[in-house]
Amino acid sequence: MAIENFIPSIWSARILQNLQKSLVYGQPGVINREYEGEIRNVGDSVKINAIGAITVGAYTKNSDISDPEEITGAGTTLLIDQANYFNFQVDDIDRVQARPDVMGEAMREAGYALKDELDTDLAALWSQVSADNFIGTNSVPKTDANTAGYPLNYLLQLATLLDQNNVPSDGRWVIIPPWFKEQLLKGDTRILNPGSPQAEGRLTNGNIGRIAGFDVLVSNNVVNTADDNYKIMAGHPMAWTLAEQIVKVEAYRMEKRFADAVKGLHVYGAKVIRPTAMAVLHIDRP
């Protein structure tokens, strides 16, 4: 519906902002951006190199050490293969009659919409996690959600999977849907408030505290497939990477209207680069 349909005789001094979700998956501390580099457009790529294991030998006094071994490594490519845009206009009459900053608020809404699309795409990367780190499966999720203490039990199982793969304990996170948060908080009082000293300085968006060694974050973007089959991801920022860029923002004058318009292009790519440094719980909602 066009904005002129809402023009009253006297405009409010404020614009009612849309309700917005917290953007969780794409924030610093959850995903790394170490390989972002210079991204200019969709189709660009980022080369990521990995160094293989280095052998350690026992040293014997007055004996020669072995010849230096060659460093081996494997590389992977992060392709910038996603692109989203916005394009909106504000009529001159709307801008004149409206006391608030219609254009500025529209830009904020556009920015949020782009980030929300990115967050949703990142949540879908659960499928790139090693299947050995699944609890339940996509086709056979866990269904014992009414068992006493089940939320904490599953978080401990996720932590064990990460422990077995030598994932650093510092910086671990788990992202849960709101209904799982409710079950967790009802069943366990050991979760730390995010304002406590232990949680001070950690993540903010969606953070409800810490338990089982995880920063616990809540998101409405947790993947939910058919029949309320949720994909709860846990891991470490080292497990995956994101490269993004707003490559174009153009303001222009509408040729056939008395209106200003703005369009922008957001490109990005994301990839799980250490599939064993994340784990996924497939679980049905009770």
Side-chain angles (χ1 to χ4, degrees):
M1 186 177 293
I3 195 171
E4 66 248 19
N5 293 328
F6 293 98
I7 296 177
S9 55
I10 299 177
W11 279 62
S12 168
R14 294 180 176 85
I15 295 176
L16 180 63
Q17 295 181 338
N18 290 333
L19 296 176
Q20 298 179 344
K21 296 176 285 187
S22 293
L23 303 180
V24 174
Y25 292 85
Q27 66 179 315
V30 172
I31 193 168
N32 79 70
R33 297 168 180 257
E34 297 175 0
Y35 313 105
E36 205 153 36
E38 292 293 327
I39 301 170
R40 288 183 169 81
N41 216 328
V42 65
D44 287 355
S45 60
V46 180
K47 303 295 185 181
I48 302 172
N49 294 316
I51 295 177
I54 295 178
T55 303
V56 175
Y59 176 70
T60 302
K61 183 179 179 180
N62 296 324
S63 298
D64 294 338
I65 63 175
S66 60
D67 294 335
E69 63 180 324
E70 293 185 3
I71 293 178
T72 60
T76 186
T77 299
L78 173 62
L79 181 63
I80 310 305
D81 57 355
Q82 302 296 315
N84 294 311
Y85 74 91
F86 64 85
N87 187 21
F88 64 86
Q89 63 169 307
V90 176
D91 193 278
D92 290 351
I93 294 177
D94 296 326
R95 189 172 63 250
V96 170
Q97 293 193 30
R99 290 170 57 194
D101 181 8
V102 176
M103 181 65 77
E105 187 58 39
M107 286 294 295
R108 283 188 288 272
E109 288 288 338
Y112 167 78
L114 292 176
K115 291 293 185 181
D116 187 50
E117 187 68 26
L118 169 62
D119 223 41
T120 300
D121 286 348
L122 293 177
L125 294 185
W126 67 266
S127 61
Q128 296 183 12
V129 176
S130 171
D132 292 336
N133 280 12
F134 284 0
I135 300 174
T137 65
N138 186 44
S139 56
V140 186
K142 294 296 182 179
T143 58
D144 54 346
N146 291 316
T147 304
Y150 81 90
L152 180 58
N153 289 338
Y154 280 132
L155 293 184
L156 291 171
Q157 290 181 44
L158 289 169
T160 298
L161 289 171
L162 299 183
D163 290 341
Q164 292 172 343
N165 287 286
N166 300 316
V167 178
S169 57
D170 186 50
R172 290 184 184 180
W173 49 260
V174 62
I175 302 175
I176 62 177
W179 66 265
F180 195 91
K181 166 194 169 183
E182 178 186 0
Q183 299 297 317
L184 179 63
L185 294 179
K186 285 196 305 185
D188 203 296
T189 59
R190 287 172 287 179
I191 192 163
L192 300 179
N193 185 286
S196 66
Q198 296 94 327
E200 190 67 32
R202 293 185 178 270
L203 305 172
T204 54
N205 284 354
N207 193 344
I208 62 168
R210 283 183 59 79
I211 198 168
F214 291 113
D215 286 305
V216 183
L217 301 106
V218 179
S219 174
N220 281 319
N221 286 334
V222 174
V223 173
N224 172 18
T225 57
D227 300 323
D228 281 343
N229 180 347
Y230 285 79
K231 318 299 179 190
I232 294 178
M233 298 169 64
H236 189 278
M238 71 186 319
W240 55 346
T241 190
L242 165 67
E244 64 161 336
Q245 186 73 36
I246 301 290
V247 294
K248 296 180 186 297
V249 177
E250 298 178 1
Y252 61 99
R253 189 69 177 168
M254 298 287 291
E255 180 181 358
K256 297 182 178 181
R257 299 188 180 188
F258 295 103
D260 291 326
V262 179
K263 58 184 177 181
L265 180 63
H266 179 219
V267 302
Y268 58 92
K271 187 175 187 177
V272 175
I273 55 176
R274 291 186 175 92
T276 59
M278 295 177 73
V280 178
L281 167 63
H282 302 262
I283 187 168
D284 277 345
R285 180 174 182 172

